[in-house]
Amino acid sequence: MAGEPQSDCLFCKIVAGEIPATVVRKSARTLAFRDINPQAPTHVLVIPHAHYPNAAALAAAEPAIAGELLAEAGEVAREEGLTDYRLIFNTGAGAGQTVFHAHVHLLGGTKLHEGLV
Ligand code: AMP
Ligand code: ZN
């Protein structure tokens, strides 16, 4: 069923507490934790508890949770003292997506590359 945990999904396992993560913020429907391979001084992933393969699928099925992901990312940025930051949703392997559970990358704490690719 849409949104149900997937036994082979790394981020579902983090939500379930089966794999440890450095959690920085949680809500009833989202979880924010530090990326294991940070690309900037602040690199946090914000994910829905529910499993959807990417952000667009999440937004189509659960628009309120998709909005909450953005609001939570903004709260993490505020807590990290960031006014300037970047949010990235990689979608598809060709765009660099490696974990097929919707997530937004929050990157900040350094001068970010000005181009998009
Ligand atoms: P993406 O490439 O957009 O699918 O992003 C997946 C991100 O998950 C990558 O930046 C990885 O470094 C990160 N990642 C993979 N495994 C873990 C983990 N166990 N804990 C935290 N972040 C992870
Ligand atoms: Zn999942």
Side-chain angles (χ1 to χ4, degrees):
M1 208 169 88
E4 292 300 310
Q6 302 294 302
S7 57
D8 59 349
C9 173
L10 175 65
F11 287 177
C12 283
K13 289 181 179 153
I14 288 178
V15 169
E18 294 166 11
I19 289 178
T22 305
V23 172
V24 296
R25 194 174 165 87
K26 54 179 120 177
S27 76
R29 302 192 293 183
T30 69
L31 185 69
F33 55 91
R34 297 202 188 278
D35 196 292
I36 204 166
N37 181 25
Q39 306 295 306
T42 292
H43 187 172
V44 170
L45 302 171
V46 189
I47 72 171
H49 294 185
H51 179 94
Y52 290 94
N54 57 52
L58 169 67
E62 298 274 10
I65 301 180
E68 198 173 325
L69 220 58
L70 296 179
E72 288 293 313
E75 286 301 308
V76 173
R78 188 182 54 75
E79 288 173 359
E80 297 277 316
L82 299 175
T83 53
D84 298 30
Y85 56 89
R86 183 167 292 156
L87 300 179
I88 297 175
F89 294 93
N90 292 326
T91 301
Q97 188 178 5
T98 59
V99 179
F100 291 83
H101 179 127
H103 56 277
V104 59
H105 294 257
L106 162 63
L107 293 157
T110 188
K111 177 88 177 87
L112 294 166
H113 175 61
E114 287 179 9
L116 290 177
V117 291

